[in-house]
Amino acid sequence: IFKKLQTNVLQMNGSFAVVVQGKGWMFASVDRTRAIPLYYGKKGAGFYLSDNANWVRNQVANSQMDKIATKEFLLTGYVTGSETLFPSVKQLQAGECIWVRDRQGIPEDSTHRFHPHARQDFFDASEEDLYPLMDQILVNMFERLLESTKERALVIPLSGGIDSRLIVAMLKRLGRDNVICFSYGKQGSWESEISRKVAAKLGYPWQFVHYTHRRWYQWFQSDER
């Protein structure tokens, strides 16, 4: 069963999280980018899995933060690998699945990476020969995006960088008109000016969110923060 489920996940594309449960077993997986995170933990005979890390933490009654993970988070802004801030709460990594079986009332789990992110040389060709191949890959990617979003409006955070410019350029190239671009920051910044010019060149509406001291203060004092 595990091999069949793992093969199915390998053949899937796009953003997803999968959980399948049978008698005495459970299979779960996230996609290559971990677009929908899944967390898990064990306590006694119980195995708990959810997209809500706090729910898992409450089930395993884990209230003490891991000291090393906390330092790592404060230094980098994240915790690496399958760890989280709480030692009994784990997370599936990008391109990873987990297989859980009932072993005489005790859950036994093992994780498997089905998509390696290490760089590999897939093609034996010159850079010039790879250009049309790369172009076709981009077209395939954005055609999938258009198919999955249909006629819904796409809102693009358009900066002065190349990544977001590539996105809006490909959308225009493939005929998507229902696109709204936005930028943010200080008035007249070079990032926002490039963003505005690119949106105007492509004929997409553009909005700007002006950062001010007052807005930052209101956000900092907000209940949400």
Side-chain angles (χ1 to χ4, degrees), residues 110-165:
S110 58
T111 56
H112 306 266
R113 300 297 291 272
F114 63 86
H115 180 80
H117 287 84
R119 180 188 180 277
Q120 300 181 48
D121 292 321
F122 294 101
F123 305 102
D124 183 18
S126 67
E127 188 173 305
E128 289 73 18
D129 291 334
L130 290 174
Y131 286 152
L133 179 60
M134 183 62 157
D135 184 70
Q136 188 58 52
I137 290 173
L138 285 171
V139 171
N140 293 343
M141 289 168 54
F142 281 90
E143 283 181 344
R144 290 201 308 270
L145 173 64
L146 298 184
E147 176 63 25
S148 65
T149 56
K150 299 297 184 183
E151 294 305 314
R152 287 179 288 174
L154 296 177
V155 182
I156 311 298
L158 180 58
S159 70
I162 295 176
D163 295 337
S164 58
R165 276 191 274 174

Side-chain angles (χ1 to χ4, degrees), residues 55-176:
W55 181 85
V56 176
R57 181 173 66 86
N58 290 332
Q59 305 311 307
V60 298
N62 199 176
S63 59
Q64 193 69 33
M65 286 188 179
D66 182 88
K67 291 182 179 180
I68 295 179
T70 301
K71 290 181 179 179
E72 185 179 27
F73 180 81
L74 291 173
L75 286 169
T76 63
Y78 53 86
V79 179
T80 55
S82 61
E83 304 301 316
T84 69
L85 288 172
F86 294 89
S88 297
V89 180
K90 307 299 181 183
Q91 58 185 335
L92 282 180
Q93 300 179 76
E96 189 174 62
C97 59
I98 187 169
W99 176 245
V100 186
R101 290 181 292 179
D102 183 359
R103 292 293 193 186
Q104 297 179 342
I106 302 297
E108 179 184 272
D109 64 277
S110 58
T111 56
H112 306 266
R113 300 297 291 272
F114 63 86
H115 180 80
H117 287 84
R119 180 188 180 277
Q120 300 181 48
D121 292 321
F122 294 101
F123 305 102
D124 183 18
S126 67
E127 188 173 305
E128 289 73 18
D129 291 334
L130 290 174
Y131 286 152
L133 179 60
M134 183 62 157
D135 184 70
Q136 188 58 52
I137 290 173
L138 285 171
V139 171
N140 293 343
M141 289 168 54
F142 281 90
E143 283 181 344
R144 290 201 308 270
L145 173 64
L146 298 184
E147 176 63 25
S148 65
T149 56
K150 299 297 184 183
E151 294 305 314
R152 287 179 288 174
L154 296 177
V155 182
I156 311 298
L158 180 58
S159 70
I162 295 176
D163 295 337
S164 58
R165 276 191 274 174
L166 172 64
I167 291 172
V168 292
M170 289 299 296
L171 292 174
K172 189 66 177 182
R173 173 181 170 184
L174 296 179
R176 187 62 171 265

Side-chain angles (χ1 to χ4, degrees), residues 183 187-199 206 208:
S183 186
Q187 199 78 45
S189 68
W190 69 270
E191 286 258 15
S192 63
E193 280 301 299
I194 291 177
S195 173
R196 180 184 62 79
K197 290 177 181 179
V198 170
W206 182 80
F208 180 69

